[in-house]
Amino acid sequence: DLSKATVSVLYCKFTLSSKKKKKMSYKDGNVAKGGKLAQTRAGQCHTFAEGGSNGVGPNLFGIVGRTSGTVPGFAYSKANSESGVTWSEEVLDEYITNPKKFMPGNKMAFAGLKKEKDRADLISYLQTLK
């Protein structure tokens, strides 16, 4: 027979442990490394802050789950604006691997990230931009 004290301890332990859950990441990507990659590999063309301006490329805040070609004020290529793509983690992974192959006719002058770990890190960072 469980005493009230035992039940309270079990409840507290369950409540505390459920609040310590690890942040979700894409394929065990490292958010901090992804942030650095974003700045070094995409920062010259994109911004990442909420409400940030568009540069050579659109602002990427909120990209995960967004429909391609929908950032206000950015002049997208016809290929991008008419693609109907929704940027899920998996779609971003495929796109970032080789943007020109994934979406022929897009304007992005980026050869892609070939290393799966780099893509996982970058996408894990992009997931935090909400």
Side-chain angles (χ1 to χ4, degrees):
D1 192 29
L2 293 174
S3 69
K4 287 183 181 179
T6 304
V7 171
S8 292
V9 168
L10 290 173
Y11 174 77
C12 288
K13 183 175 180 174
F14 173 77
T15 303
L16 290 174
S17 67
S18 66
K19 289 181 181 177
K20 292 180 182 177
K21 288 186 178 177
K22 182 181 168 187
K23 285 185 178 180
M24 291 297 294
S25 67
Y26 180 70
K27 294 185 177 181
D28 295 320
N30 182 301
V31 172
K33 287 181 180 177
K36 288 178 185 173
L37 267 173
Q39 289 304 320
T40 60
R41 300 298 303 271
Q44 55 273 32
C45 295
H46 297 278
T47 60
F48 305 95
E50 184 172 13
S53 62
N54 295 317
V56 173
N59 176 285
L60 296 181
F61 188 89
I63 189 168
V64 178
R66 182 168 70 208
T67 302
S68 180
T70 60
V71 172
F74 185 76
Y76 287 92
S77 66
K78 186 174 181 179
N80 199 313
S81 62
E82 295 180 0
S83 70
V85 166
T86 298
W87 297 118
S88 68
E89 291 86 344
E90 295 77 17
V91 171
L92 282 165
D93 193 1
E94 188 177 346
Y95 180 75
I96 294 167
T97 301
N98 188 336
K100 295 289 185 195
K101 180 178 177 185
F102 179 88
M103 189 180 290
N106 83 71
K107 296 192 298 187
M108 191 161 79
F110 176 65
L113 289 177
K114 304 308 177 209
K115 294 180 182 175
E116 184 175 10
K117 178 68 174 135
D118 287 347
R119 293 192 312 273
D121 292 345
L122 179 59
I123 293 166
S124 293
Y125 169 71
L126 294 174
Q127 287 175 318
T128 69
L129 306 179
K130 303 178 191 181

